């Protein structure tokens, strides 16, 4: 029913911000100024009502919607849309005071006191009841208002900086039920979790308890299932919120995700929402240059786009600095436009901010905002916001309706994330960072990449890259086998295919032994004393992490170790299989190796970027297209000017003129070039 | 009533120690030796009864004062005064066993077990009752004894190494009452704490709970008020102790403070005691040289002196090493005298030790003491103690009755300390260290400085320096405006004047915009990639911390940034205002900048040290004076000899001779020079 | 009765592994392959039943021994012995679900949830009852089986990675009873713990509570007694296990210890078992070379041998890597044999592994094993295991029945460990690391050393080395006095003889003042700013740790400080006393000083290694002998070849030929040379 009945978002790029007028209701001159400055800045939508529960339900059952009605109405009159939030991001003191059960219990069995945010127990019946009541009231009141264009369900679910999970008796009970449904019998569960180890065999469902430092913390199967349950349970809560607002409203629903946020399996979540939105806070200016951070932001955008293979909204970003890092650096001139357009380049149909106006008190008062405490419109930052507003308005007609498309998919899988970082052995791995390292050279070459989990539909892709795919979901090996058989190219690394979906090790052989054409034996992790290199295409590359020790079977050896007792052993293999082929990267190396390998791979597979130009270091390009045109977003992340050489003529949609030969790009800048068929 | 009736301390310098004869009651030969060695060392007072509750009240209501009577009497007969402590520094096991409520509850809601020290709940009615009983009994018994010269109320309040606060139900209730008195209505409180943020609006006083990692930890207004309450509540306890001893005694009361001790607002505390005393433990010998540590010790002495703008007692110091640092280094020869005289130089009328004799067991048995476990008087340390005794006796007549006076005040404010280090944004600041950095050049130049909080009386001062004054107390801005208008010179820094006394940001403008003649816009915090310098008087100085970005209005620009997008923006401004002027230091820089700036400032204001001599590096001077004379304490903190050039003749009060020309100072030494009017 | 009736172990070297067939009962082909591969690898024993409680007692009182019977029987038929474990290493979920009291309570008073291992309360009556039941059932069933050669009581007692102690009410009560027995009266206890300090005098036994961060953590006497009690209480539990299996079995009992495992006083433990066994996991390949790690492993073997001055079993070791270090490096070729023979060299009569086969799931699935998940016998590691099996079989007849003997004893005392690392003062010391530093030069020189605690019988030794013997057990000083009087040579260091066995400082003088011929005064701990050296035999050695400041009385000064205020003070003294002498090392220095000092000492005392050869760096030798022969285990820990020069002819028992002149040793290799009397 959902996707059939939901309206669509307006057909233009959005420029908006989280708006908290409830903090200023006694300052009408502030609310007045807000509207004035929003119009000046080209703001065409706001996110309203996030954290407003206290103001909407003053006490149990005593609702107060008038202020919100006024705001929505006034915004609407000024041509500013409202994305309306359900207020469950934080619960009011009166609720937890009356019903302690709505508060989370931590892994030590201790219930939190009231406070903070995202502080509710998703298993509490009282919490569910009160959530349904306020959500459906809100929907009834505003769900058909012409100014309201979408629902913003709660806020950054799970994002309380402590723990996304609750260990209260309700949640224990729900967990056990979930396990019963999954495993049917205790025997199955005992087998899947390998509970004969350390005498952990359960004889009654009631013996099962969530993982805890106080108790069970070694049964990987339990820990993995708990993480699945936590994501599932919170999603179940979200689905009940969705149902509540849909009772009276046909507006599309979203929730603001957080990119690489480990506790929630966003691929599962994406299915339940009408469109994806997310909050984007790259750590700009924190390193010697911006390249790694920019590539990671590109990966996060691509991940969010991949959830539905569709455009999304960037629901939050900061116009300047954040306030929660150890060091909070101001965005340098140009960076606000550049990072906003990076989002657009990778599939966002909006640039939205947290926050419109800095709050006066409490813990986010120094977070960046379009409007600061003291200077009104008279700030550098407000100027930057106005500029973005203007640019979005100018490019909207070109951009809206296009999306990014890729021939290459990289596998990023939440369940693998949980499993591979919980491994006890070899050495601690940071899956996200490793993944981003394997993504980086594509970003550098300006090659669009889709990101999918193991359950994705791979039929559109030519190449699949699956780094550190330690755990294989059921059916994954067969799917890859088919993919390669049919002509696909599969690239994977050491420490993949080790365990199944309950973290039981595969016996006998690597599940893709035939496809990869190798036999795996050992995995070495070393300190500095065991320096090693890999030889590839005549060049030596430094080994920087794990060292898989493997034996070639049907594969060709493309690179080998230079030292140690596995000197001469394969470090990279290629195996022809069916109509396709499969690569195995046994050694973790410096990134230069990856770049060289990817270049060779793209050449071999004919899967290059497609942009007719030469990019200097720190300049990349991303493409959005529809059936009629391509838009190339050229991005210069250098702190100085850079020159791009064009091999053909493009049309700069902002300058509204043809460009050819060379383009001189300003520091931290983005140029958008149109390529029309045949041009 | 208090200050009217309290007797005065004896009119001489004191030399004393914490004395714990109750640990040795079964060793009469030890007690005998104590008296003998005290006399040898020139000890003229001891602090008695700290932690003696177990020995004074053997079980509930069963008191035992005889041993103490013997000790006080014997000391008195030997001309050694007693400063008598109330024994609440630690509670006896029988008390907590019978009344669990006397034990503290931590922020997680868990009550401590018995043990440790400073372990009582200040809100417990039982604790109050038992405290009053033992204190008044003690007072009745000894409060008029001729040997007893003062009361030492409890010991290092709050100093248990864990937390000064208690979160038990009694304390929650007291906190709520305190808030009710402060705010009157919940509406006021909600507004002051900005509780609309994250839906935290309280609808009943009972919903308010102390800050906790388990609960509320983001509402800065709540956190700040809790810190105020904790200091207030413990002071209230102390006041009840004071009242109890005053019932039967006219001796002056003090409590041993701990210098820069964050939990207790000593400016508030100072008002309630007849004189100030404190425990001084600089980390000598821990760095490449002693200068920074010496300057910090000087700042701490000045802070303690500032509480009453009067001489104080240094109630504790170690004759050698402490035992609680990661590395506990012995005082090098000379350092014991030097650091003892440093205290005198800055306003102490005593040198007292923790401890007279090393205890045989428990956790302070390896803390330095005048007398060790094995060697009696036959130690280097005992020799050092004797030397200090002798010097104090010799200089007493010159020193007693003088005090330090200053034309410069620096603002150090506990409430600002709490607020500025709780800020979420920019970057973590260490207020005490930053303050000491701004104090350092004065120490180096031998310029006396007073330290006051924002509520101080500034009428005596020519210059006020207020670094990182993030939070402005009510009325502070107006007071400074008057100060400058009337000819004062005010110096402040970036990250000042940001928030009011409930941590709400100021809106519209910096509260001293007119006085400073600038408009503040942004504050940048950067990593190593954004190296910058400030240009001042033709020299480049390294930027080392925050970078305020400000706009000149009526001010002159005295220094500017050399790089980045704020290149050319003001880094130091000066604004003439009324008869005075105000400086704003926008950039945090290396200390060399501060030195240069202060030199210029002192010259401009005619507020130099006044010592007629040239000080080599590592040698400083401090002045005590009365109406008739000045005493200059020349201190050499170098590990080698140093030469001071004198521009006029002084009289060395220990050598009892005139000195002129040059003085060769021994490593770690202090010379005391008398300057008489007209000399 | 015990030692009289217990059978002996088989008279040959054992080669074995922990075996967990209960994890594979549904995979008969795996069990089949196990037997086949064990025979191939020369495995002649397995440790069975560790952690099998869940499989042996399916639910309260429902036992299931059939599977175990089958396994023991099949192993026996294949000439593989069983060392049978009691299964108390982890408790089954049904037990803790029914009786919460069996779970440990931590120092915060919080009871653990079920999970992990070594998770039971040793004071729980229910736990004791269920343990006795299963243990005696097992014994009745298998205690006379011809395949069963020994009992493996529980597993790595106390080794749960959290805490070995339980703070539940039962344990509090047991602790108080233990104290009552020890001290008789509270007065004695108060005196021993110096409870007058900080008002801690107990007036009722019930006031005493175990140490806790929540409560008492400063009373060193209490903390020390608690550690004693914890070791005692767990041993009491073990003794009850021993009694239970002895009911029906005459097989010898052991428990697998963990070398330098701080919570358990293994010298006390050793007395209760028929033979010693332990689990050995050196961190091979983690440093620039293997020398320090090899020496520490040698020290650990020597410690375990010293518990009974007899051969022991190495019950566990890894055939490859472990899985619980931050970085888990594979054993390089040669290292598995070398480290296995190192164990033999130092007194082990076995090489046993954890684990035979990698488990499929849970937290040790990536721990090294003889057999991996995928490759059966077709791995490097399995080859290494087979090689060790072959070598053990070959050398067994030579080695079995010999043992290591030494003229030198080093003192390593658990109670001192507890006390010296709990000291509050000077600086944090790592007793084990310091001890190993003092052991290292002996290892390097190939000199056998015994390790004993202060209660050892020293009559066999010529030299005793006692580093950092902070605490003196009752009677220890007198014992040493006698030892030296009778011609022994005693070497001790600074920070020894400070406190008695309740951690009360000695008064008056160092307890060995006469023997050492010195007076101790101060102990200095310094940062980098106080660089110093010691001059010894004309060479300067760097000071690296504590600096004792002492005065020579009757001793000769052999080395002195070169700098600081104790320049010229003694850094090493020698005192002739009776027929012997005593050295005092006042300064902690670089290891080169120790080497030089030891060389001089061994020469003076005529106590050299006895091996007729010259060892290059990284090559050492250890000796096992009986009355007829000596076996020299030459070990090369270098990553490259090394040449040993022999001064006489030896017989290589593996090559079965004489060797003389030089031996070229392979990287990571061991040669075993026989020396027969008169050879």
């Amino acid at each position: 029913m959902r996707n059939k009945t939901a309206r669509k978002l307006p057909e233009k790029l959005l420029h908006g911000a989280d708006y908290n007028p409830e903090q200023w209701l006694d300052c009408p001159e502030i609310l007045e100024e807000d509207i004035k400055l929003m119009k000046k800045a080209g703001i065409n939508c706001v996110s309203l009502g996030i954290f407003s529960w206290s103001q909407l339900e003053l006490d149990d059952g005593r609702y107060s919607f008038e202020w919100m009605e006024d705001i929505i109405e006034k915004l609407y009159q000024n041509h500013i849309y409202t994305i309306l939030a359900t207020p469950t991001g934080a619960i009011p003191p009166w609720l937890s005071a009356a019903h302690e059960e709505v508060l989370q219990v931590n892994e030590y069995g201790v219930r939190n006191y009231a406070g903070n945010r995202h502080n509710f127990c998703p298993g509490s019946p009282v919490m569910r009841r009160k959530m349904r009541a306020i959500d459906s009231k809100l929907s009834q009141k505003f769900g058909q208002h012409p100014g309201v264009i979408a629902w913003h369900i709660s806020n950054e679910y799970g994002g309380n900086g402590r723990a996304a999970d609750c260990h209260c008796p309700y949640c224990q009970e729900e967990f056990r039920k979930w396990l019963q449904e999954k495993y049917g019998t205790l025997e199955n569960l005992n087998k899947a979790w390998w509970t004969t180890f350390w005498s952990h065999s359960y004889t009654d469902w009631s013996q099962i308890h969530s993982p805890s430092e106080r108790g069970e913390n070694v049964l990987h199967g339990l820990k993995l299932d708990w993480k699945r349950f936590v994501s599932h349970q919170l999603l179940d809560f979200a689905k009940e919120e969705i149902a509540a607002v849909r009772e009276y409203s046909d507006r599309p629903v979203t929730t603001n995700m957080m990119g690489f946020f480990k506790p929630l399996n966003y691929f599962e979540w994406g299915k339940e929402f009408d469109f994806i939105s997310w909050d984007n806070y790259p750590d700009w200016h924190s390193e010697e240059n911006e390249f790694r951070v920019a590539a990671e932001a590109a990966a996060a955008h691509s991940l969010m786009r991949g959830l539905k293979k569709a455009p999304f909204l960037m629901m939050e970003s900061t116009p300047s600095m954040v306030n929660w890092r150890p060091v909070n650096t101001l965005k340098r001139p140009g960076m606000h436009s550049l990072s906003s357009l990076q989002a657009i380049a990778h599939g966002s149909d909006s640039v939205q901010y947290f926050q419109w106006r800095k709050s006066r008190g409490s813990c986010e008062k120094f977070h960046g905002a379009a409007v600061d405490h003291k200077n009104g419109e008279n700030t550098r930052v407000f100027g930057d916001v106005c500029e973005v507003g203007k640019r979005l308005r100018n490019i909207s007609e070109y951009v809206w309706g296009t999306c990014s498309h890729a021939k290459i998919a990289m596998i990023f899988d939440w369940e693998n994330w949980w499993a591979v970082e919980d491994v006890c052995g070899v050495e601690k791995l940071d899956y996200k960072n490793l993944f981003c390292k394997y993504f980086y050279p594509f970003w550098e070459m300006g090659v669009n990449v889709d990101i999918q989990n193991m359950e994705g539909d791979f039929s559109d892709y030519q190449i699949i890259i699956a780094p550190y795919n330690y755990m294989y979901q059921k059916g994954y090996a067969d799917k890859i086998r088919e993919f390669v058989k049919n002509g696909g190219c599969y690239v994977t690394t050491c420490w993949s295919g080790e365990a199944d979906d309950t973290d039981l090790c595969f016996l006998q052989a690597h599940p893709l032994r035939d496809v990869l054409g190798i036999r795996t034996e050992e995995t070495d992790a070393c300190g500095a004393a065991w320096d090693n290199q890999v030889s590839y295409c005549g060049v030596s590359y430094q080994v920087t992490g794990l060292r898989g020790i493997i034996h070639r079977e049907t594969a060709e050896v493309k690179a080998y170790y230079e030292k140690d007792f596995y000197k001469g052993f394969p470090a990279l293999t290629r195996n022809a299989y069916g109509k396709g082929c499969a690569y195995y990267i046994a050694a973790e190396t410096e990134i230069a190796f990856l770049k060289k390998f990817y270049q060779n791979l793209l050449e071999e597979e004919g899967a290059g970027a497609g942009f007719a130009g030469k990019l200097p270091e720190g300049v990349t390009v991303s493409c959005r297209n529809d059936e009629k045109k391509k838009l190339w977003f050229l991005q210069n992340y250098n702190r100085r000017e850079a020159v791009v050489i064009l091999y053909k003529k493009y049309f700069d949609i902002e300058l509204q003129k043809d460009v050819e030969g060379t383009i001189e790009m300003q520091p931290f800048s983005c140029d958008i070039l149109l390529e029309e068929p045949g041009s």
Side-chain angles (χ1 to χ4, degrees), chain A residues 40-56:
Chain A
K40 190 150 200 166
I43 295 294
N44 57 21
C45 75
V46 300
S47 301
L48 193 74
I50 302 166
F51 301 121
S52 304
W53 199 337
S54 268
Q55 260 51 44
L56 294 170

PDB file of all heavy atoms in Angstrom, chain A residues 40-56:
ATOM      1  N   LYS A  40      15.825  35.223   2.137  1.00  0.00           N
ATOM      2  CA  LYS A  40      17.083  35.764   1.619  1.00  0.00           C
ATOM      3  C   LYS A  40      18.056  34.651   1.216  1.00  0.00           C
ATOM      4  O   LYS A  40      18.809  34.777   0.243  1.00  0.00           O
ATOM      5  CB  LYS A  40      17.711  36.629   2.710  1.00  0.00           C
ATOM      6  CG  LYS A  40      18.875  37.440   2.246  1.00  0.00           C
ATOM      7  CD  LYS A  40      18.960  38.730   3.062  1.00  0.00           C
ATOM      8  CE  LYS A  40      19.774  39.790   2.348  1.00  0.00           C
ATOM      9  NZ  LYS A  40      19.561  41.110   2.975  1.00  0.00           N
ATOM     10  N   ALA A  41      18.060  33.573   1.994  1.00  0.00           N
ATOM     11  CA  ALA A  41      19.024  32.494   1.761  1.00  0.00           C
ATOM     12  C   ALA A  41      18.517  31.457   0.770  1.00  0.00           C
ATOM     13  O   ALA A  41      19.198  30.474   0.495  1.00  0.00           O
ATOM     14  CB  ALA A  41      19.364  31.818   3.089  1.00  0.00           C
ATOM     15  N   GLY A  42      17.312  31.674   0.230  1.00  0.00           N
ATOM     16  CA  GLY A  42      16.787  30.694  -0.718  1.00  0.00           C
ATOM     17  C   GLY A  42      16.397  29.380  -0.067  1.00  0.00           C
ATOM     18  O   GLY A  42      16.471  28.322  -0.682  1.00  0.00           O
ATOM     19  N   ILE A  43      16.022  29.417   1.192  1.00  0.00           N
ATOM     20  CA  ILE A  43      15.542  28.220   1.889  1.00  0.00           C
ATOM     21  C   ILE A  43      14.126  27.917   1.402  1.00  0.00           C
ATOM     22  O   ILE A  43      13.260  28.795   1.433  1.00  0.00           O
ATOM     23  CB  ILE A  43      15.519  28.464   3.418  1.00  0.00           C
ATOM     24  CG1 ILE A  43      16.935  28.666   3.971  1.00  0.00           C
ATOM     25  CG2 ILE A  43      14.793  27.331   4.158  1.00  0.00           C
ATOM     26  CD1 ILE A  43      17.829  27.461   3.901  1.00  0.00           C
ATOM     27  N   ASN A  44      13.893  26.688   0.943  1.00  0.00           N
ATOM     28  CA  ASN A  44      12.551  26.351   0.479  1.00  0.00           C
ATOM     29  C   ASN A  44      11.899  25.217   1.276  1.00  0.00           C
ATOM     30  O   ASN A  44      10.814  24.756   0.939  1.00  0.00           O
ATOM     31  CB  ASN A  44      12.523  26.057  -1.024  1.00  0.00           C
ATOM     32  CG  ASN A  44      13.482  24.936  -1.393  1.00  0.00           C
ATOM     33  OD1 ASN A  44      13.864  24.134  -0.541  1.00  0.00           O
ATOM     34  ND2 ASN A  44      13.876  24.889  -2.659  1.00  0.00           N
ATOM     35  N   CYS A  45      12.583  24.750   2.306  1.00  0.00           N
ATOM     36  CA  CYS A  45      11.932  23.774   3.193  1.00  0.00           C
ATOM     37  C   CYS A  45      12.623  23.751   4.544  1.00  0.00           C
ATOM     38  O   CYS A  45      13.801  24.112   4.652  1.00  0.00           O
ATOM     39  CB  CYS A  45      11.912  22.379   2.588  1.00  0.00           C
ATOM     40  SG  CYS A  45      13.494  21.551   2.638  1.00  0.00           S
ATOM     41  N   VAL A  46      11.866  23.355   5.560  1.00  0.00           N
ATOM     42  CA  VAL A  46      12.477  23.148   6.876  1.00  0.00           C
ATOM     43  C   VAL A  46      12.031  21.801   7.424  1.00  0.00           C
ATOM     44  O   VAL A  46      10.994  21.273   7.025  1.00  0.00           O
ATOM     45  CB  VAL A  46      12.086  24.242   7.899  1.00  0.00           C
ATOM     46  CG1 VAL A  46      12.518  25.623   7.428  1.00  0.00           C
ATOM     47  CG2 VAL A  46      10.595  24.216   8.179  1.00  0.00           C
ATOM     48  N   SER A  47      12.861  21.277   8.331  1.00  0.00           N
ATOM     49  CA  SER A  47      12.456  20.088   9.087  1.00  0.00           C
ATOM     50  C   SER A  47      11.970  20.586  10.436  1.00  0.00           C
ATOM     51  O   SER A  47      12.717  21.227  11.170  1.00  0.00           O
ATOM     52  CB  SER A  47      13.638  19.143   9.273  1.00  0.00           C
ATOM     53  OG  SER A  47      14.140  18.749   8.020  1.00  0.00           O
ATOM     54  N   LEU A  48      10.752  20.247  10.752  1.00  0.00           N
ATOM     55  CA  LEU A  48      10.101  20.837  11.922  1.00  0.00           C
ATOM     56  C   LEU A  48       9.670  19.754  12.908  1.00  0.00           C
ATOM     57  O   LEU A  48       9.276  18.659  12.504  1.00  0.00           O
ATOM     58  CB  LEU A  48       8.861  21.606  11.446  1.00  0.00           C
ATOM     59  CG  LEU A  48       8.205  22.544  12.460  1.00  0.00           C
ATOM     60  CD1 LEU A  48       9.065  23.787  12.645  1.00  0.00           C
ATOM     61  CD2 LEU A  48       6.808  22.944  11.978  1.00  0.00           C
ATOM     62  N   GLY A  49       9.739  20.077  14.166  1.00  0.00           N
ATOM     63  CA  GLY A  49       9.136  19.200  15.168  1.00  0.00           C
ATOM     64  C   GLY A  49      10.056  18.123  15.741  1.00  0.00           C
ATOM     65  O   GLY A  49       9.643  17.348  16.598  1.00  0.00           O
ATOM     66  N   ILE A  50      11.295  18.115  15.281  1.00  0.00           N
ATOM     67  CA  ILE A  50      12.251  17.153  15.838  1.00  0.00           C
ATOM     68  C   ILE A  50      12.483  17.539  17.295  1.00  0.00           C
ATOM     69  O   ILE A  50      12.819  18.688  17.574  1.00  0.00           O
ATOM     70  CB  ILE A  50      13.564  17.196  15.031  1.00  0.00           C
ATOM     71  CG1 ILE A  50      13.275  16.901  13.566  1.00  0.00           C
ATOM     72  CG2 ILE A  50      14.586  16.245  15.601  1.00  0.00           C
ATOM     73  CD1 ILE A  50      14.416  17.229  12.632  1.00  0.00           C
ATOM     74  N   PHE A  51      12.333  16.602  18.190  1.00  0.00           N
ATOM     75  CA  PHE A  51      12.508  16.855  19.636  1.00  0.00           C
ATOM     76  C   PHE A  51      11.452  17.791  20.228  1.00  0.00           C
ATOM     77  O   PHE A  51      11.720  18.401  21.263  1.00  0.00           O
ATOM     78  CB  PHE A  51      13.898  17.444  19.935  1.00  0.00           C
ATOM     79  CG  PHE A  51      15.028  16.577  19.510  1.00  0.00           C
ATOM     80  CD1 PHE A  51      15.982  17.024  18.599  1.00  0.00           C
ATOM     81  CD2 PHE A  51      15.167  15.297  20.025  1.00  0.00           C
ATOM     82  CE1 PHE A  51      17.030  16.229  18.218  1.00  0.00           C
ATOM     83  CE2 PHE A  51      16.241  14.493  19.639  1.00  0.00           C
ATOM     84  CZ  PHE A  51      17.168  14.955  18.731  1.00  0.00           C
ATOM     85  N   SER A  52      10.305  17.918  19.620  1.00  0.00           N
ATOM     86  CA  SER A  52       9.319  18.875  20.152  1.00  0.00           C
ATOM     87  C   SER A  52       8.265  18.236  21.049  1.00  0.00           C
ATOM     88  O   SER A  52       7.260  18.868  21.380  1.00  0.00           O
ATOM     89  CB  SER A  52       8.608  19.587  18.988  1.00  0.00           C
ATOM     90  OG  SER A  52       9.520  20.203  18.152  1.00  0.00           O
ATOM     91  N   TRP A  53       8.449  16.986  21.419  1.00  0.00           N
ATOM     92  CA  TRP A  53       7.400  16.301  22.179  1.00  0.00           C
ATOM     93  C   TRP A  53       6.918  17.112  23.380  1.00  0.00           C
ATOM     94  O   TRP A  53       5.731  17.309  23.604  1.00  0.00           O
ATOM     95  CB  TRP A  53       7.879  14.907  22.582  1.00  0.00           C
ATOM     96  CG  TRP A  53       6.793  13.952  22.951  1.00  0.00           C
ATOM     97  CD1 TRP A  53       5.532  14.236  23.377  1.00  0.00           C
ATOM     98  CD2 TRP A  53       6.875  12.530  22.905  1.00  0.00           C
ATOM     99  NE1 TRP A  53       4.821  13.092  23.609  1.00  0.00           N
ATOM    100  CE2 TRP A  53       5.620  12.021  23.326  1.00  0.00           C
ATOM    101  CE3 TRP A  53       7.884  11.627  22.558  1.00  0.00           C
ATOM    102  CZ2 TRP A  53       5.367  10.641  23.418  1.00  0.00           C
ATOM    103  CZ3 TRP A  53       7.627  10.264  22.647  1.00  0.00           C
ATOM    104  CH2 TRP A  53       6.372   9.772  23.070  1.00  0.00           C
ATOM    105  N   SER A  54       7.888  17.577  24.189  1.00  0.00           N
ATOM    106  CA  SER A  54       7.546  18.398  25.371  1.00  0.00           C
ATOM    107  C   SER A  54       6.628  19.561  25.038  1.00  0.00           C
ATOM    108  O   SER A  54       5.797  19.951  25.846  1.00  0.00           O
ATOM    109  CB  SER A  54       8.830  19.013  25.974  1.00  0.00           C
ATOM    110  OG  SER A  54       9.364  18.204  26.971  1.00  0.00           O
ATOM    111  N   GLN A  55       6.829  20.110  23.830  1.00  0.00           N
ATOM    112  CA  GLN A  55       6.041  21.283  23.450  1.00  0.00           C
ATOM    113  C   GLN A  55       4.708  20.886  22.821  1.00  0.00           C
ATOM    114  O   GLN A  55       3.780  21.679  22.783  1.00  0.00           O
ATOM    115  CB  GLN A  55       6.841  22.131  22.446  1.00  0.00           C
ATOM    116  CG  GLN A  55       7.532  23.330  23.054  1.00  0.00           C
ATOM    117  CD  GLN A  55       8.361  22.961  24.269  1.00  0.00           C
ATOM    118  OE1 GLN A  55       9.088  21.959  24.271  1.00  0.00           O
ATOM    119  NE2 GLN A  55       8.222  23.720  25.348  1.00  0.00           N
ATOM    120  N   LEU A  56       4.633  19.659  22.325  1.00  0.00           N
ATOM    121  CA  LEU A  56       3.417  19.213  21.644  1.00  0.00           C
ATOM    122  C   LEU A  56       2.458  18.509  22.589  1.00  0.00           C
ATOM    123  O   LEU A  56       1.247  18.519  22.401  1.00  0.00           O
ATOM    124  CB  LEU A  56       3.777  18.272  20.487  1.00  0.00           C
ATOM    125  CG  LEU A  56       4.544  18.920  19.328  1.00  0.00           C
ATOM    126  CD1 LEU A  56       5.052  17.837  18.369  1.00  0.00           C
ATOM    127  CD2 LEU A  56       3.669  19.924  18.584  1.00  0.00           C
TER     128      LEU A  56
END
